[in-house]
Amino acid sequence: MELSPDSIILWQAGFAKLNLTILLTWLNMLLLTVGSALVTRRLRDDGKLSRWQNLLEVLVSGIEQQIADMGLSPVREFLPFLGTLFIFVLFANLLAVVPGYRPPTGSLSTTAALAISVFVAVPWWGIRRRGWGGFFGMYIKPSVFLLPFNILGERSRTLALAVRRFGNIMSGSMIAGILLTVTPLFFPVVMQLLGLITGVIQAYIFAVLAAVYIAAAAKVQRVREDDGQGGLHG
Amino acid sequence: MLIDWFTVAAQTVNFLLLIWLLKRFLYGPILQAMERREARIEGRLQEARQEHEVAKEEAAEYQRLNRELEERRTESLRQVAEEAGQHRQQLIDQGRAEASALAEAWKAAVCRDRQLFMADLKKRIGSEVLQIARKSLNDLTGCDLATLLAERFVARFAALDQEQQSSCRTAAETSGVLVRSAVTLEDPIRSRLEAGLQPLVGPDAAISYCIADDMPLGIELILGGLKLSWGVDSYFAELERQIDLQLEEVDGTGEGGGRSL
């Protein structure tokens, strides 16, 4: 049994190769892009909305609300990165119920790529918001002696993000495979349903953690509009 | 090796590409559609607020107009009532004036009728009395009343003082003598009358005669501007005065008890 779809190589020319992970990612991208394009091609802003437009509006506005709750502002600046992170992971995990489909998030390479993206995005927004001195000054706070620990914590955080994602998805697929060989009829269906739930939760956690890291770096002040209280978060 | 670095790089590129694709085909259009809808809803809300304001203003304007209309109506009713009162008073005054004029006209007519009646009464009474007196005198004594009257008249005329006779003579010579009588004087009477008058008025004075319808009994001599009368006019004047007094008493009683205006 394969641990990762990376090992299934469809085409290779020297260093470059096309494995199942990349192919399935392309498939995901194609489905997401074409689906979005089909729905957004006939958008209506008055009268009765189509159910697909309704679904996408609920999804986008929900992500916007979550980002706003994290204290990130303006929301539109962070929506493409964090929203795509959530939608990509969610869609890959949901498609896991299709027989023969191997979610690309079950590949450590994919989760590492996503974690590296977050690892780059955190200082990117941190420096944009606080400047070079402001951002790197965080590493020597509260004392310069904590500099190695801060760097270590930053790197381990990225690594944990990648491994957590990989472990969850890979273990889910693997448990389903093992149970399929032991009790091939009923039990794997239950595990698949459980996998769907954990997939959605993991997608949410991944996106929220990324948002929290970015918010911590950017030190964005969030103003709670509902009770009028303000405070620093992150 | 669980991590294939080429795959990591490819997936990173794929992820960045997906970010761009979703931004192009999902977030942008969806957010624009939501913004347009929110803008439209906000516009409708704004429009509704404006229409609400307009409706409130129109309601206030309508209430103001209603109040003005009510005030004008009250004022018009008051004016109409006032004009009606004035018109009523005017009609009453006019009616009173007309009634007063009618009463005045009626009084004038009554007065005129009374005068005519009195003249007629005087003539009739005079005529009747004259006839009765003449007939009774003729039957009882065989004397003619006209002759006696003429003789008496000549005697009275001759009894005038000197100055009066002189005036009469002057007047007779200037404008002649006109003898008016209630009845036609017979020639013997005329001769006796002329014989009695000539010494007084002179032989050249022209004497003419005429019948006076308004004279009940008597003879009247007109000498230019002078007039000598011998008859029953004073009795009739007294009779007329008595009748007038009686009528005035009757009018006073009627006016005290019968006027209603």
Side-chain angles (χ1 to χ4, degrees):
Chain A
M1 183 167 187
E2 302 292 340
L3 274 179
S4 166
D6 287 358
S7 54
I8 301 173
I9 297 172
L10 303 173
W11 173 82
Q12 184 164 16
F15 184 65
K17 56 189 165 193
L18 176 63
N19 54 29
L20 190 60
T21 303
I22 297 175
L23 185 69
L24 291 172
T25 302
W26 285 351
L27 180 66
N28 275 5
M29 292 166 62
L30 186 69
L31 288 173
L32 284 172
T33 305
V34 171
S36 299
L38 284 177
V39 174
T40 56
R41 196 179 56 181
R42 290 191 296 270
L43 285 179
R44 299 182 62 177
D45 50 11
D46 60 336
K48 189 179 178 184
L49 307 181
S50 70
R51 61 181 66 180
W52 287 107
Q53 183 182 348
N54 239 327
L55 175 70
L56 290 188
E57 286 193 5
V58 167
L59 185 67
V60 171
S61 57
I63 294 170
E64 267 192 328
Q65 187 61 44
Q66 287 295 325
I67 294 171
D69 287 346
M70 292 297 152
L72 290 170
S73 179
V75 174
R76 298 283 166 87
E77 185 182 339
F78 300 95
L79 176 66
F81 181 78
L82 295 172
T84 306
L85 205 59
F86 174 72
I87 290 172
F88 176 69
V89 176
L90 177 75
F91 200 65
N93 292 349
L94 289 181
L95 280 180
V97 296
V98 177
Y101 181 85
R102 302 286 296 276
T105 45
S107 153
L108 188 58
S109 302
T110 304
T111 54
L114 296 179
I116 288 170
S117 298
V118 176
F119 181 72
V120 173
V122 168
W124 162 259
W125 264 298
I127 291 168
R128 281 188 68 181
R129 290 297 170 92
R130 305 173 51 144
W132 289 91
F135 178 71
F136 288 108
M138 283 198 309
Y139 286 93
I140 55 172
K141 285 181 180 176
S143 168
V144 73
F145 298 108
L146 290 175
L147 177 65
F149 300 102
N150 280 333
I151 293 172
L152 196 63
E154 190 75 19
R155 291 179 62 86
S156 63
R157 192 170 64 184
T158 306
L159 184 64
L161 201 63
V163 173
R164 183 190 294 118
R165 171 100 329 270
F166 161 73
N168 275 298
I169 303 305
M170 185 269 290
S171 63
S173 300
M174 191 164 288
I175 289 170
I178 294 168
L179 287 174
L180 198 64
T181 58
V182 178
T183 54
L185 188 57
F186 177 70
F187 204 67
V189 177
V190 179
M191 287 308 296
Q192 287 278 29
L193 289 175
L194 196 62
L196 277 181
I197 296 170
T198 55
V200 173
I201 292 172
Q202 287 302 320
Y204 176 72
I205 289 173
F206 196 94
V208 165
L209 282 177
V212 168
Y213 296 154
I214 292 171
K219 282 274 187 181
V220 177
Q221 187 174 15
R222 184 180 63 177
V223 177
R224 293 173 66 93
E225 294 180 354
D226 50 356
D227 55 10
Q229 295 176 344
L232 291 173
H233 293 263
Chain B
M1 184 69 179
L2 286 174
I3 294 180
D4 177 41
W5 291 107
F6 175 79
T7 308
V8 170
Q11 290 294 73
T12 306
V13 171
N14 283 339
F15 179 66
L16 294 176
L17 184 63
L18 183 62
I19 289 175
W20 181 81
L21 286 172
L22 289 187
K23 189 177 180 181
R24 168 76 177 76
F25 291 107
L26 178 62
Y27 305 127
I30 289 287
L31 290 175
Q32 283 175 6
M34 288 167 68
E35 283 174 355
R36 281 198 301 270
R37 191 163 62 243
E38 285 173 0
R40 177 171 285 116
I41 290 170
E42 181 60 32
R44 285 181 182 171
L45 285 174
Q46 185 69 25
E47 191 178 338
R49 279 193 289 269
Q50 287 176 354
E51 286 181 358
H52 183 65
E53 289 297 321
V54 170
K56 278 171 66 179
E57 289 174 3
E58 284 182 356
E61 178 70 13
Y62 173 75
Q63 286 175 350
R64 189 182 64 77
L65 288 175
N66 216 6
R67 275 198 304 277
E68 285 183 5
L69 189 66
E70 186 65 26
E71 288 172 1
R72 278 207 295 270
R73 180 172 162 274
T74 309
E75 180 67 18
S76 298
L77 283 176
R78 194 187 60 75
Q79 283 182 356
V80 165
E82 192 175 330
E83 286 175 5
Q86 289 177 353
H87 190 61
R88 177 174 171 275
Q89 189 60 39
Q90 191 178 352
L91 285 177
I92 288 173
D93 293 343
Q94 188 179 351
R96 279 180 177 161
E98 286 177 0
S100 177
L102 283 175
E104 290 297 325
W106 178 76
K107 277 184 182 176
V110 166
C111 186
R112 195 166 54 248
D113 289 347
R114 190 170 66 189
Q115 287 174 351
L116 291 173
F117 172 73
M118 291 306 297
D120 188 53
L121 182 67
K122 187 170 149 184
K123 185 177 177 185
R124 281 173 184 267
I125 289 174
S127 176
E128 291 297 324
V129 168
L130 180 62
Q131 283 188 5
I132 290 169
R134 184 184 294 166
K135 193 169 184 302
S136 59
L137 193 65
N138 197 14
D139 289 346
L140 295 176
T141 63
C143 297
D144 183 36
L145 182 61
T147 305
L148 292 176
L149 192 66
E151 287 176 351
R152 187 64 182 162
F153 177 67
V154 171
R156 291 286 300 176
F157 194 71
L160 292 175
D161 57 27
Q162 199 65 33
E163 187 180 353
Q164 289 174 332
Q165 286 185 7
S166 173
S167 300
C168 291
R169 185 189 297 269
T170 305
E173 286 174 355
T174 305
S175 54
V177 179
L178 175 64
V179 178
R180 296 176 72 237
S181 60
V183 296
T184 306
L185 298 174
E186 302 296 334
D187 286 340
I189 298 173
R190 286 188 181 187
S191 300
R192 292 177 66 177
L193 187 64
E194 288 171 4
L197 288 177
Q198 272 177 352
L200 297 174
V201 297
D204 297 333
I207 299 174
S208 57
Y209 300 90
C210 72
I211 303 299
D213 291 334
D214 56 339
M215 189 184 294
L217 178 63
I219 295 174
E220 197 173 71
L221 199 65
I222 295 172
L223 306 161
L226 297 175
K227 186 169 81 174
L228 295 173
S229 181
W230 184 248
V232 294
D233 275 351
S234 58
Y235 305 113
F236 281 104
E238 179 63 21
L239 177 64
E240 189 175 349
R241 196 177 64 81
Q242 291 294 333
I243 291 174
D244 283 342
L245 283 174
Q246 292 293 325
L247 284 175
E248 282 173 6
E249 286 179 5
V250 170
D251 282 349
T253 308
E255 284 175 0
R259 288 196 62 167
S260 58
L261 282 174

PDB file of all heavy atoms in Angstrom, chain A residues 10 46 64 84 87 127 159 204:
ATOM      1  N   LEU A  10       3.569   9.207 -13.149  1.00  0.00           N
ATOM      2  CA  LEU A  10       2.946   8.933 -14.445  1.00  0.00           C
ATOM      3  C   LEU A  10       3.896   9.251 -15.597  1.00  0.00           C
ATOM      4  O   LEU A  10       3.833   8.631 -16.657  1.00  0.00           O
ATOM      5  CB  LEU A  10       1.675   9.786 -14.586  1.00  0.00           C
ATOM      6  CG  LEU A  10       0.630   9.571 -13.475  1.00  0.00           C
ATOM      7  CD1 LEU A  10      -0.507  10.571 -13.605  1.00  0.00           C
ATOM      8  CD2 LEU A  10       0.089   8.166 -13.502  1.00  0.00           C
ATOM      9  N   ASP A  46     -30.002  40.919  -8.529  1.00  0.00           N
ATOM     10  CA  ASP A  46     -31.361  41.330  -8.126  1.00  0.00           C
ATOM     11  C   ASP A  46     -32.283  40.122  -8.301  1.00  0.00           C
ATOM     12  O   ASP A  46     -31.981  39.193  -9.022  1.00  0.00           O
ATOM     13  CB  ASP A  46     -31.854  42.496  -8.968  1.00  0.00           C
ATOM     14  CG  ASP A  46     -31.910  42.147 -10.429  1.00  0.00           C
ATOM     15  OD1 ASP A  46     -31.176  41.222 -10.834  1.00  0.00           O
ATOM     16  OD2 ASP A  46     -32.671  42.777 -11.166  1.00  0.00           O
ATOM     17  N   GLU A  64     -15.084  35.403   4.732  1.00  0.00           N
ATOM     18  CA  GLU A  64     -14.846  36.812   5.082  1.00  0.00           C
ATOM     19  C   GLU A  64     -15.107  37.054   6.562  1.00  0.00           C
ATOM     20  O   GLU A  64     -14.338  37.728   7.259  1.00  0.00           O
ATOM     21  CB  GLU A  64     -15.770  37.712   4.254  1.00  0.00           C
ATOM     22  CG  GLU A  64     -15.169  38.219   2.967  1.00  0.00           C
ATOM     23  CD  GLU A  64     -16.013  39.323   2.370  1.00  0.00           C
ATOM     24  OE1 GLU A  64     -17.245  39.302   2.538  1.00  0.00           O
ATOM     25  OE2 GLU A  64     -15.429  40.209   1.755  1.00  0.00           O
ATOM     26  N   THR A  84      -8.483  30.562  -0.427  1.00  0.00           N
ATOM     27  CA  THR A  84      -8.021  29.497  -1.325  1.00  0.00           C
ATOM     28  C   THR A  84      -7.443  28.335  -0.528  1.00  0.00           C
ATOM     29  O   THR A  84      -7.646  27.162  -0.869  1.00  0.00           O
ATOM     30  CB  THR A  84      -6.977  30.066  -2.299  1.00  0.00           C
ATOM     31  OG1 THR A  84      -7.546  31.202  -2.953  1.00  0.00           O
ATOM     32  CG2 THR A  84      -6.587  29.031  -3.334  1.00  0.00           C
ATOM     33  N   ILE A  87     -10.518  26.490   0.745  1.00  0.00           N
ATOM     34  CA  ILE A  87     -11.305  25.827  -0.306  1.00  0.00           C
ATOM     35  C   ILE A  87     -10.516  24.668  -0.929  1.00  0.00           C
ATOM     36  O   ILE A  87     -11.059  23.585  -1.180  1.00  0.00           O
ATOM     37  CB  ILE A  87     -11.712  26.867  -1.372  1.00  0.00           C
ATOM     38  CG1 ILE A  87     -12.764  27.821  -0.783  1.00  0.00           C
ATOM     39  CG2 ILE A  87     -12.284  26.184  -2.611  1.00  0.00           C
ATOM     40  CD1 ILE A  87     -13.091  28.993  -1.681  1.00  0.00           C
ATOM     41  N   ILE A 127       6.046  42.109   7.588  1.00  0.00           N
ATOM     42  CA  ILE A 127       6.940  43.201   7.173  1.00  0.00           C
ATOM     43  C   ILE A 127       6.130  44.321   6.521  1.00  0.00           C
ATOM     44  O   ILE A 127       6.399  45.506   6.725  1.00  0.00           O
ATOM     45  CB  ILE A 127       8.017  42.651   6.221  1.00  0.00           C
ATOM     46  CG1 ILE A 127       8.965  41.736   6.996  1.00  0.00           C
ATOM     47  CG2 ILE A 127       8.787  43.788   5.555  1.00  0.00           C
ATOM     48  CD1 ILE A 127       9.878  40.930   6.119  1.00  0.00           C
ATOM     49  N   LEU A 159       6.468  23.351  10.348  1.00  0.00           N
ATOM     50  CA  LEU A 159       6.606  21.893  10.190  1.00  0.00           C
ATOM     51  C   LEU A 159       5.389  21.178  10.778  1.00  0.00           C
ATOM     52  O   LEU A 159       4.841  20.249  10.177  1.00  0.00           O
ATOM     53  CB  LEU A 159       7.890  21.425  10.898  1.00  0.00           C
ATOM     54  CG  LEU A 159       8.226  19.945  10.743  1.00  0.00           C
ATOM     55  CD1 LEU A 159       8.516  19.631   9.270  1.00  0.00           C
ATOM     56  CD2 LEU A 159       9.415  19.542  11.617  1.00  0.00           C
ATOM     57  N   TYR A 204     -10.774  23.641   8.013  1.00  0.00           N
ATOM     58  CA  TYR A 204     -11.072  24.841   8.795  1.00  0.00           C
ATOM     59  C   TYR A 204      -9.910  25.180   9.716  1.00  0.00           C
ATOM     60  O   TYR A 204      -9.473  26.332   9.813  1.00  0.00           O
ATOM     61  CB  TYR A 204     -12.369  24.587   9.591  1.00  0.00           C
ATOM     62  CG  TYR A 204     -12.726  25.713  10.515  1.00  0.00           C
ATOM     63  CD1 TYR A 204     -13.208  26.922  10.013  1.00  0.00           C
ATOM     64  CD2 TYR A 204     -12.584  25.582  11.887  1.00  0.00           C
ATOM     65  CE1 TYR A 204     -13.530  27.960  10.859  1.00  0.00           C
ATOM     66  CE2 TYR A 204     -12.910  26.623  12.746  1.00  0.00           C
ATOM     67  CZ  TYR A 204     -13.388  27.812  12.229  1.00  0.00           C
ATOM     68  OH  TYR A 204     -13.693  28.836  13.056  1.00  0.00           O
TER      69      TYR A 204
END
